Amino acid sequence: MARRALKLASLAAAASGIYLYGNKYLDPNDFGVVRVGRAIATTAVITYDYLTSLRSVPYGSEEYDFLKSQIKELFISFEDTPLGAASLAQVHKAVLQDGTTVAVKIQHPKVQAQSSKDILLMEVLLLVVKQIFPDFEFMWLVEEAKKNLPLELDFLNEGRNAERVANMLKNFDFLKVPRIYWELSTRRVLLMEFMEGGQVNDRAYMERNGINVNEISRNLGKLYSEMIFVNGFVHCDPHPGNVLVKKCPVSGKAHIILLDHGLYQVLSESFRMDYCRLWQALIKADMKRVQKYSRRLGAGDLYPLFACMLTARSWESVNRGIDRSPVSASEDVEIRSNAAAYLPQITQLLNNVPRQMLLLLKTNDLLRGIESALHTRASASSFLNMSRCCVRAVSMYQRSKSHSLYRRAQISLTEALSLWQINLYELFLWLKGSQLGNWVTALLSWMHHSTY
């Protein structure tokens, strides 16, 4: 089985190389599939021999066509045209001999070597800029790239992340994460269960397929609130191509499909607790606590700017309460214009906050972009879900630090009451916005006037 897996991985890479070569994406004098094959299975002698033999095989020759045909030993079909391509890899649809449809993610030729050169070039350029402009504070970009890129280039790490998050969020029956075929995967080739659907920001697709846009937005918020506040293990690349939606033909439920698990942020317990308490303060418009926990997260005197960056709201909205009113067009314009005006302060903030915050800021922006596309941005339900997760996370932390049975019971009771208050407030908002709520309001008004 191991030898079969290595051969499969190598053949998949060969198919990718053939596609790239045939479409002139590679220089004909630098046939990169050979190098990819070596990197994938350096310990497999038969695979090494098989792929390095391509060196002496002219493209389009009878022998070259024969080598390509060997893919059929492992696949019934393998689509040369990728479903999607990015800077690190591309994904092909294929069918195994047992009829299983799979997605084959293949790392691009020369990515490993080129990425090291790119990071070195970035570091040199940033050092030169810093010499000219001493206030330039973007060296953290290089630090983050050095830390994250090797993880993204290891597809086995991506597979482990996928399994971990699927197990971690198994209580959410609307979440689907592709199964990993470990026996057929390597560090540079990943075979997964094939899943398809519409992109999460495609409102028209959802309307055509009878998918409730508000439900999808709510569930996406639940997923990320659970990851960030409760578990501290966060999928940090939720752009629309990595988050799909599909209506199950059997149950009629809408599923969220989470793809591309190469980039995750692991939050320390102390950071996660401070971040929880900061968001609780932001939702309650408790400015003293907003200042306190923003400072603890490195914002210093720039805490108003930090609060605005986290919420993508104006300071006036933050003071009033970010759940009190939706984002207006004028507020959006104000935020964009201020972003340019406060660029030096934003740069200073990014340099001072914990490195864990950087990917969270990126994740927040991507999620807000999805909400904007679905017209559900800054809805009260998203803040209520965040509140629930923050209450649960803080209570779990407090119980773990308490050795008193009485104190743990007290914490659990406080947690239950807080969650009950959130549920009650959610019911109030639902009644207020529903036909029943309008009818009750009208009836009460009529009764009030009838008494006079």
Side-chain angles (χ1 to χ4, degrees):
M1 178 59 75
R3 291 171 70 88
R4 182 176 181 273
L6 289 167
K7 187 175 182 182
L8 169 62
S10 304
L11 284 169
S16 174
I18 290 168
Y19 172 74
L20 289 168
Y21 185 88
N23 285 273
K24 299 183 180 178
Y25 292 160
L26 296 180
D27 188 309
N29 297 315
D30 186 14
F31 196 30
V33 68
V34 178
R35 296 182 185 177
V36 173
R38 286 176 175 170
I40 291 170
T42 54
T43 59
V45 176
I46 59 167
T47 309
Y48 180 88
D49 290 342
Y50 178 85
L51 288 174
T52 52
S53 67
L54 287 173
R55 268 184 171 176
S56 58
V57 180
Y59 173 72
S61 67
E62 185 176 337
E63 188 178 357
Y64 191 96
D65 291 338
F66 169 76
L67 290 172
K68 184 179 177 182
S69 73
Q70 298 307 299
I71 295 172
K72 293 180 181 177
E73 291 182 12
L74 298 168
F75 297 106
I76 293 175
S77 65
F78 187 98
E79 295 184 6
D80 283 351
T81 304
L83 297 170
S87 57
L88 299 181
Q90 61 193 46
V91 179
H92 295 260
K93 184 178 180 180
V95 180
L96 298 176
Q97 289 294 338
D98 63 2
T100 304
T101 302
V102 293
V104 187
K105 184 174 182 178
I106 304 160
Q107 198 169 111
H108 288 321
K110 299 190 290 187
V111 161
Q112 293 275 350
Q114 189 60 46
S115 62
S116 300
K117 295 175 186 175
D118 290 344
I119 291 174
L120 180 60
L121 179 60
M122 183 197 305
E123 188 169 15
V124 170
L125 289 174
L126 289 177
L127 284 170
V128 170
V129 172
K130 186 162 179 62
Q131 289 298 315
I132 301 170
F133 304 102
D135 292 336
F136 185 82
E137 298 290 352
F138 277 95
M139 292 308 297
W140 53 265
L141 282 170
V142 178
E143 296 167 20
E144 289 302 298
K146 284 180 177 178
K147 181 182 75 176
N148 293 322
L149 194 56
L151 296 175
E152 289 190 81
L153 290 174
D154 182 358
F155 289 173
L156 294 180
N157 178 67
E158 178 176 344
R160 288 190 292 270
N161 288 342
E163 287 197 343
R164 179 175 173 181
V165 81
N167 184 62
M168 189 176 82
L169 302 176
K170 61 186 176 185
N171 292 332
F172 293 129
D173 59 357
F174 57 82
L175 173 65
K176 301 298 173 186
V177 176
R179 172 195 165 194
I180 306 299
Y181 292 88
W182 289 109
E183 71 277 12
L184 304 175
S185 297
T186 72
R187 288 173 60 87
R188 289 177 173 80
V189 178
L190 188 66
L191 262 79
M192 302 163 282
E193 178 184 2
F194 178 76
M195 291 184 171
E196 58 185 342
Q199 292 193 353
V200 72
N201 65 341
D202 191 343
R203 189 182 176 97
Y205 169 87
M206 295 187 209
E207 289 172 352
R208 285 196 309 271
N209 289 274
I211 297 173
N212 187 311
V213 172
N214 291 315
E215 180 187 354
I216 290 296
S217 185
R218 267 195 314 273
N219 287 342
L220 189 62
K222 286 179 184 177
L223 284 180
Y224 273 86
S225 292
E226 194 79 13
M227 280 192 272
I228 293 169
F229 300 113
V230 179
N231 294 288
F233 184 66
V234 190
H235 180 283
C236 286
D237 201 11
H239 70 72
N242 288 341
V243 187
L244 308 181
V245 293
K246 186 175 184 179
K247 192 169 187 176
C248 177
V250 179
S251 66
K253 291 183 178 179
H255 291 157
I256 293 177
I257 302 167
L258 198 58
L259 305 175
D260 197 344
H261 300 270
L263 186 59
Y264 272 75
Q265 179 67 67
V266 180
L267 308 180
S268 68
E269 188 174 67
S270 60
F271 174 91
R272 186 166 54 87
M273 286 301 102
D274 286 340
Y275 194 61
C276 275
R277 290 181 171 116
L278 173 57
W279 268 104
Q280 285 181 309
L282 286 166
I283 292 168
K284 293 176 181 177
D286 184 341
M287 291 302 107
K288 286 187 70 175
R289 286 168 64 85
V290 166
Q291 180 178 353
K292 175 183 176 180
Y293 288 107
S294 294
R295 288 180 180 277
R296 287 182 63 161
L297 288 168
D301 292 336
L302 295 174
Y303 70 90
L305 177 60
F306 186 53
C308 293
M309 287 171 63
L310 280 178
T311 59
R313 303 297 301 269
S314 67
W315 182 237
E316 181 185 347
S317 295
V318 171
N319 275 274
R320 189 170 59 242
I322 53 178
D323 63 335
R324 301 294 170 85
S325 59
V327 183
S328 64
S330 60
E331 187 179 0
D332 252 344
V333 171
E334 179 189 346
I335 291 166
R336 281 197 295 271
S337 60
N338 283 343
Y342 285 96
L343 187 58
Q345 290 86 351
I346 291 171
T347 303
Q348 183 183 340
L349 258 177
L350 293 176
N351 194 55
N352 290 342
V353 296
R355 298 283 76 97
Q356 299 166 80
M357 182 63 72
L358 300 175
L359 283 177
L360 284 188
L361 288 169
K362 172 197 170 187
T363 303
N364 285 346
D365 285 341
L366 289 169
L367 292 173
R368 275 195 292 268
I370 292 169
E371 288 179 345
S372 295
L374 298 180
H375 308 304
T376 59
R377 186 175 167 197
S379 65
S381 65
S382 65
F383 295 121
L384 290 172
N385 286 326
M386 290 173 71
S387 296
R388 286 190 183 94
C389 286
C390 287
V391 167
R392 286 171 48 222
V394 171
S395 298
M396 287 167 58
Y397 172 76
Q398 290 174 336
R399 278 193 296 268
S400 71
K401 299 299 179 183
S402 175
H403 301 292
S404 165
L405 186 61
Y406 171 77
R407 175 61 183 148
R408 287 200 293 269
Q410 191 180 39
I411 293 166
S412 296
L413 179 60
T414 303
E415 177 188 8
L417 287 172
S418 297
L419 292 174
W420 179 78
Q421 287 177 329
I422 294 170
N423 291 338
L424 193 63
Y425 181 58
E426 186 172 39
L427 177 62
F428 164 74
L429 290 177
W430 179 81
L431 286 172
K432 185 179 177 182
S434 68
Q435 286 295 105
L436 176 61
N438 294 335
W439 180 81
V440 169
T441 303
L443 179 62
L444 290 172
S445 177
W446 175 82
M447 290 174 65
H448 174 73
H449 290 295
S450 297
T451 58
Y452 293 95

